[in-house]
Amino acid sequence: MEHKTVSATYALFDITDGGEVLLESASADNPLRLVTGKNMTPFRAFDELLAALSAGEKYSLVLPPDEAFGVRDDTRVLAIDKKDLSPGGLFDETRVFPGAVLPLQNEEGQIFRAQVIDVQDVSVIVDFNHPLAGKTLRLDGEVLDTRAATDEEAAACGKRHCGGCHHGGCDKGGCRHDCCGHDCE
């Protein structure tokens, strides 16, 4: 497979209920930069579309939930005992509150993010679904530049800090939504 280095603008919209809510964007001044075929976007269809386009081409791509961040799964909403969120025996209300996103770790050491839905007397209700699960999304934008990726570019994107995620890479604070399949923080 030939990998391409692509620079593009984009605007990501939530269009779930017939409306149009802008979630994030990248302008020509600070474009998305990636190497196609390296899982650098969370959407396979977006990667494939960018690989097929030429510089100057505009695009619009609608992603139903199953092609975006998945369908909401109510079994991923769980009650966690407050004791399990109380290091040293103290529950931290300044850190654990409705709307907060918590990094939680399982027995195997994997880290998951969960959004706090409710804080009750003895438990905390958390949602392990991606915040955009169940949403229909639309990406609009334009390819600014595209060319065959060098062997070095393609190889570098298999590493933890690929340097090609949103807005120039992890080292510039650009990764969002696990765009490279890893967490840059």
Side-chain angles (χ1 to χ4, degrees), residues 106-127:
N106 67 12
E107 296 81 26
E108 290 83 38
Q110 293 175 305
I111 298 198
F112 300 89
R113 286 196 163 82
Q115 183 172 17
V116 176
I117 303 300
D118 191 22
V119 177
Q120 300 176 344
D121 290 338
V122 295
S123 62
V124 176
I125 309 301
V126 296
D127 186 349

PDB file of all heavy atoms in Angstrom, residues 106-127:
ATOM      1  N   ASN A 106      -7.821  -0.650  34.834  1.00  0.00           N
ATOM      2  CA  ASN A 106      -8.319  -1.972  35.206  1.00  0.00           C
ATOM      3  C   ASN A 106      -7.197  -2.821  35.788  1.00  0.00           C
ATOM      4  O   ASN A 106      -6.057  -2.363  35.916  1.00  0.00           O
ATOM      5  CB  ASN A 106      -9.013  -2.661  34.025  1.00  0.00           C
ATOM      6  CG  ASN A 106      -8.075  -3.026  32.891  1.00  0.00           C
ATOM      7  OD1 ASN A 106      -6.854  -2.979  33.012  1.00  0.00           O
ATOM      8  ND2 ASN A 106      -8.659  -3.404  31.768  1.00  0.00           N
ATOM      9  N   GLU A 107      -7.506  -4.076  36.110  1.00  0.00           N
ATOM     10  CA  GLU A 107      -6.532  -4.978  36.738  1.00  0.00           C
ATOM     11  C   GLU A 107      -5.333  -5.253  35.843  1.00  0.00           C
ATOM     12  O   GLU A 107      -4.254  -5.578  36.317  1.00  0.00           O
ATOM     13  CB  GLU A 107      -7.199  -6.308  37.111  1.00  0.00           C
ATOM     14  CG  GLU A 107      -8.287  -6.192  38.158  1.00  0.00           C
ATOM     15  CD  GLU A 107      -9.616  -5.730  37.578  1.00  0.00           C
ATOM     16  OE1 GLU A 107      -9.899  -5.941  36.375  1.00  0.00           O
ATOM     17  OE2 GLU A 107     -10.388  -5.121  38.331  1.00  0.00           O
ATOM     18  N   GLU A 108      -5.527  -5.183  34.516  1.00  0.00           N
ATOM     19  CA  GLU A 108      -4.439  -5.427  33.567  1.00  0.00           C
ATOM     20  C   GLU A 108      -3.586  -4.191  33.312  1.00  0.00           C
ATOM     21  O   GLU A 108      -2.668  -4.215  32.509  1.00  0.00           O
ATOM     22  CB  GLU A 108      -4.997  -5.947  32.233  1.00  0.00           C
ATOM     23  CG  GLU A 108      -5.557  -7.361  32.301  1.00  0.00           C
ATOM     24  CD  GLU A 108      -6.988  -7.374  32.808  1.00  0.00           C
ATOM     25  OE1 GLU A 108      -7.761  -6.468  32.454  1.00  0.00           O
ATOM     26  OE2 GLU A 108      -7.331  -8.293  33.579  1.00  0.00           O
ATOM     27  N   GLY A 109      -3.923  -3.083  33.934  1.00  0.00           N
ATOM     28  CA  GLY A 109      -3.149  -1.863  33.771  1.00  0.00           C
ATOM     29  C   GLY A 109      -3.606  -0.974  32.630  1.00  0.00           C
ATOM     30  O   GLY A 109      -3.013   0.070  32.383  1.00  0.00           O
ATOM     31  N   GLN A 110      -4.668  -1.382  31.920  1.00  0.00           N
ATOM     32  CA  GLN A 110      -5.181  -0.549  30.830  1.00  0.00           C
ATOM     33  C   GLN A 110      -5.888   0.663  31.414  1.00  0.00           C
ATOM     34  O   GLN A 110      -6.608   0.555  32.401  1.00  0.00           O
ATOM     35  CB  GLN A 110      -6.166  -1.328  29.964  1.00  0.00           C
ATOM     36  CG  GLN A 110      -5.540  -2.453  29.195  1.00  0.00           C
ATOM     37  CD  GLN A 110      -6.599  -3.255  28.465  1.00  0.00           C
ATOM     38  OE1 GLN A 110      -7.543  -3.736  29.069  1.00  0.00           O
ATOM     39  NE2 GLN A 110      -6.434  -3.373  27.161  1.00  0.00           N
ATOM     40  N   ILE A 111      -5.677   1.809  30.765  1.00  0.00           N
ATOM     41  CA  ILE A 111      -6.311   3.047  31.228  1.00  0.00           C
ATOM     42  C   ILE A 111      -7.494   3.353  30.320  1.00  0.00           C
ATOM     43  O   ILE A 111      -7.397   3.274  29.094  1.00  0.00           O
ATOM     44  CB  ILE A 111      -5.308   4.202  31.253  1.00  0.00           C
ATOM     45  CG1 ILE A 111      -4.205   3.854  32.235  1.00  0.00           C
ATOM     46  CG2 ILE A 111      -6.000   5.517  31.564  1.00  0.00           C
ATOM     47  CD1 ILE A 111      -3.360   4.957  32.723  1.00  0.00           C
ATOM     48  N   PHE A 112      -8.615   3.686  30.951  1.00  0.00           N
ATOM     49  CA  PHE A 112      -9.839   4.037  30.250  1.00  0.00           C
ATOM     50  C   PHE A 112     -10.298   5.394  30.752  1.00  0.00           C
ATOM     51  O   PHE A 112     -10.062   5.745  31.910  1.00  0.00           O
ATOM     52  CB  PHE A 112     -10.949   3.014  30.549  1.00  0.00           C
ATOM     53  CG  PHE A 112     -10.609   1.625  30.128  1.00  0.00           C
ATOM     54  CD1 PHE A 112      -9.946   0.757  30.985  1.00  0.00           C
ATOM     55  CD2 PHE A 112     -10.943   1.187  28.866  1.00  0.00           C
ATOM     56  CE1 PHE A 112      -9.630  -0.524  30.602  1.00  0.00           C
ATOM     57  CE2 PHE A 112     -10.635  -0.095  28.461  1.00  0.00           C
ATOM     58  CZ  PHE A 112      -9.982  -0.957  29.333  1.00  0.00           C
ATOM     59  N   ARG A 113     -10.961   6.115  29.903  1.00  0.00           N
ATOM     60  CA  ARG A 113     -11.552   7.386  30.324  1.00  0.00           C
ATOM     61  C   ARG A 113     -13.043   7.165  30.525  1.00  0.00           C
ATOM     62  O   ARG A 113     -13.689   6.512  29.710  1.00  0.00           O
ATOM     63  CB  ARG A 113     -11.310   8.454  29.280  1.00  0.00           C
ATOM     64  CG  ARG A 113      -9.871   8.908  29.293  1.00  0.00           C
ATOM     65  CD  ARG A 113      -9.727  10.217  28.551  1.00  0.00           C
ATOM     66  NE  ARG A 113      -8.495  10.850  28.891  1.00  0.00           N
ATOM     67  CZ  ARG A 113      -7.329  10.537  28.347  1.00  0.00           C
ATOM     68  NH1 ARG A 113      -7.251   9.605  27.450  1.00  0.00           N
ATOM     69  NH2 ARG A 113      -6.235  11.174  28.705  1.00  0.00           N
ATOM     70  N   ALA A 114     -13.559   7.713  31.595  1.00  0.00           N
ATOM     71  CA  ALA A 114     -14.981   7.597  31.896  1.00  0.00           C
ATOM     72  C   ALA A 114     -15.501   8.955  32.328  1.00  0.00           C
ATOM     73  O   ALA A 114     -14.848   9.662  33.100  1.00  0.00           O
ATOM     74  CB  ALA A 114     -15.213   6.572  33.000  1.00  0.00           C
ATOM     75  N   GLN A 115     -16.684   9.299  31.829  1.00  0.00           N
ATOM     76  CA  GLN A 115     -17.298  10.561  32.228  1.00  0.00           C
ATOM     77  C   GLN A 115     -18.220  10.309  33.410  1.00  0.00           C
ATOM     78  O   GLN A 115     -19.027   9.373  33.399  1.00  0.00           O
ATOM     79  CB  GLN A 115     -18.087  11.177  31.078  1.00  0.00           C
ATOM     80  CG  GLN A 115     -18.666  12.530  31.461  1.00  0.00           C
ATOM     81  CD  GLN A 115     -19.292  13.245  30.289  1.00  0.00           C
ATOM     82  OE1 GLN A 115     -19.588  12.660  29.262  1.00  0.00           O
ATOM     83  NE2 GLN A 115     -19.487  14.535  30.450  1.00  0.00           N
ATOM     84  N   VAL A 116     -18.100  11.152  34.421  1.00  0.00           N
ATOM     85  CA  VAL A 116     -18.954  11.048  35.596  1.00  0.00           C
ATOM     86  C   VAL A 116     -20.338  11.567  35.232  1.00  0.00           C
ATOM     87  O   VAL A 116     -20.493  12.694  34.760  1.00  0.00           O
ATOM     88  CB  VAL A 116     -18.369  11.846  36.790  1.00  0.00           C
ATOM     89  CG1 VAL A 116     -19.320  11.809  37.979  1.00  0.00           C
ATOM     90  CG2 VAL A 116     -16.995  11.318  37.166  1.00  0.00           C
ATOM     91  N   ILE A 117     -21.337  10.723  35.458  1.00  0.00           N
ATOM     92  CA  ILE A 117     -22.724  11.092  35.190  1.00  0.00           C
ATOM     93  C   ILE A 117     -23.395  11.608  36.462  1.00  0.00           C
ATOM     94  O   ILE A 117     -24.126  12.586  36.440  1.00  0.00           O
ATOM     95  CB  ILE A 117     -23.518   9.869  34.651  1.00  0.00           C
ATOM     96  CG1 ILE A 117     -22.856   9.295  33.404  1.00  0.00           C
ATOM     97  CG2 ILE A 117     -24.975  10.215  34.407  1.00  0.00           C
ATOM     98  CD1 ILE A 117     -22.745  10.265  32.250  1.00  0.00           C
ATOM     99  N   ASP A 118     -23.127  10.919  37.590  1.00  0.00           N
ATOM    100  CA  ASP A 118     -23.776  11.276  38.847  1.00  0.00           C
ATOM    101  C   ASP A 118     -22.900  10.814  40.009  1.00  0.00           C
ATOM    102  O   ASP A 118     -22.223   9.787  39.919  1.00  0.00           O
ATOM    103  CB  ASP A 118     -25.155  10.598  38.928  1.00  0.00           C
ATOM    104  CG  ASP A 118     -26.009  11.104  40.072  1.00  0.00           C
ATOM    105  OD1 ASP A 118     -25.774  12.234  40.562  1.00  0.00           O
ATOM    106  OD2 ASP A 118     -26.926  10.365  40.487  1.00  0.00           O
ATOM    107  N   VAL A 119     -22.927  11.577  41.084  1.00  0.00           N
ATOM    108  CA  VAL A 119     -22.254  11.194  42.318  1.00  0.00           C
ATOM    109  C   VAL A 119     -23.349  10.946  43.345  1.00  0.00           C
ATOM    110  O   VAL A 119     -24.121  11.852  43.660  1.00  0.00           O
ATOM    111  CB  VAL A 119     -21.275  12.291  42.805  1.00  0.00           C
ATOM    112  CG1 VAL A 119     -20.640  11.893  44.125  1.00  0.00           C
ATOM    113  CG2 VAL A 119     -20.222  12.568  41.746  1.00  0.00           C
ATOM    114  N   GLN A 120     -23.420   9.696  43.811  1.00  0.00           N
ATOM    115  CA  GLN A 120     -24.448   9.304  44.771  1.00  0.00           C
ATOM    116  C   GLN A 120     -23.818   9.090  46.137  1.00  0.00           C
ATOM    117  O   GLN A 120     -22.622   9.319  46.316  1.00  0.00           O
ATOM    118  CB  GLN A 120     -25.163   8.051  44.254  1.00  0.00           C
ATOM    119  CG  GLN A 120     -25.817   8.299  42.897  1.00  0.00           C
ATOM    120  CD  GLN A 120     -26.454   7.064  42.293  1.00  0.00           C
ATOM    121  OE1 GLN A 120     -26.193   5.943  42.697  1.00  0.00           O
ATOM    122  NE2 GLN A 120     -27.301   7.294  41.302  1.00  0.00           N
ATOM    123  N   ASP A 121     -24.618   8.657  47.092  1.00  0.00           N
ATOM    124  CA  ASP A 121     -24.125   8.497  48.468  1.00  0.00           C
ATOM    125  C   ASP A 121     -22.929   7.549  48.555  1.00  0.00           C
ATOM    126  O   ASP A 121     -21.924   7.880  49.177  1.00  0.00           O
ATOM    127  CB  ASP A 121     -25.236   7.993  49.397  1.00  0.00           C
ATOM    128  CG  ASP A 121     -26.301   9.051  49.636  1.00  0.00           C
ATOM    129  OD1 ASP A 121     -25.999  10.252  49.463  1.00  0.00           O
ATOM    130  OD2 ASP A 121     -27.438   8.676  49.978  1.00  0.00           O
ATOM    131  N   VAL A 122     -23.023   6.368  47.934  1.00  0.00           N
ATOM    132  CA  VAL A 122     -21.952   5.380  48.063  1.00  0.00           C
ATOM    133  C   VAL A 122     -21.292   5.026  46.739  1.00  0.00           C
ATOM    134  O   VAL A 122     -20.326   4.276  46.718  1.00  0.00           O
ATOM    135  CB  VAL A 122     -22.457   4.081  48.739  1.00  0.00           C
ATOM    136  CG1 VAL A 122     -22.883   4.349  50.170  1.00  0.00           C
ATOM    137  CG2 VAL A 122     -23.563   3.450  47.945  1.00  0.00           C
ATOM    138  N   SER A 123     -21.820   5.547  45.635  1.00  0.00           N
ATOM    139  CA  SER A 123     -21.238   5.195  44.336  1.00  0.00           C
ATOM    140  C   SER A 123     -21.197   6.399  43.399  1.00  0.00           C
ATOM    141  O   SER A 123     -21.827   7.422  43.645  1.00  0.00           O
ATOM    142  CB  SER A 123     -22.029   4.055  43.692  1.00  0.00           C
ATOM    143  OG  SER A 123     -23.362   4.454  43.442  1.00  0.00           O
ATOM    144  N   VAL A 124     -20.419   6.195  42.351  1.00  0.00           N
ATOM    145  CA  VAL A 124     -20.298   7.201  41.287  1.00  0.00           C
ATOM    146  C   VAL A 124     -20.729   6.508  39.996  1.00  0.00           C
ATOM    147  O   VAL A 124     -20.227   5.429  39.666  1.00  0.00           O
ATOM    148  CB  VAL A 124     -18.846   7.711  41.169  1.00  0.00           C
ATOM    149  CG1 VAL A 124     -18.710   8.678  40.006  1.00  0.00           C
ATOM    150  CG2 VAL A 124     -18.406   8.371  42.468  1.00  0.00           C
ATOM    151  N   ILE A 125     -21.655   7.106  39.268  1.00  0.00           N
ATOM    152  CA  ILE A 125     -22.120   6.557  38.000  1.00  0.00           C
ATOM    153  C   ILE A 125     -21.235   7.143  36.904  1.00  0.00           C
ATOM    154  O   ILE A 125     -21.127   8.372  36.770  1.00  0.00           O
ATOM    155  CB  ILE A 125     -23.599   6.904  37.717  1.00  0.00           C
ATOM    156  CG1 ILE A 125     -24.482   6.543  38.914  1.00  0.00           C
ATOM    157  CG2 ILE A 125     -24.070   6.238  36.430  1.00  0.00           C
ATOM    158  CD1 ILE A 125     -24.452   5.099  39.321  1.00  0.00           C
ATOM    159  N   VAL A 126     -20.567   6.240  36.147  1.00  0.00           N
ATOM    160  CA  VAL A 126     -19.656   6.677  35.095  1.00  0.00           C
ATOM    161  C   VAL A 126     -20.065   6.058  33.762  1.00  0.00           C
ATOM    162  O   VAL A 126     -20.633   4.968  33.715  1.00  0.00           O
ATOM    163  CB  VAL A 126     -18.179   6.322  35.414  1.00  0.00           C
ATOM    164  CG1 VAL A 126     -17.701   7.061  36.646  1.00  0.00           C
ATOM    165  CG2 VAL A 126     -17.992   4.830  35.561  1.00  0.00           C
ATOM    166  N   ASP A 127     -19.745   6.758  32.686  1.00  0.00           N
ATOM    167  CA  ASP A 127     -20.056   6.326  31.327  1.00  0.00           C
ATOM    168  C   ASP A 127     -18.747   6.098  30.586  1.00  0.00           C
ATOM    169  O   ASP A 127     -17.959   7.022  30.405  1.00  0.00           O
ATOM    170  CB  ASP A 127     -20.890   7.409  30.632  1.00  0.00           C
ATOM    171  CG  ASP A 127     -21.398   7.006  29.267  1.00  0.00           C
ATOM    172  OD1 ASP A 127     -20.949   5.953  28.734  1.00  0.00           O
ATOM    173  OD2 ASP A 127     -22.236   7.736  28.720  1.00  0.00           O
TER     174      ASP A 127
END
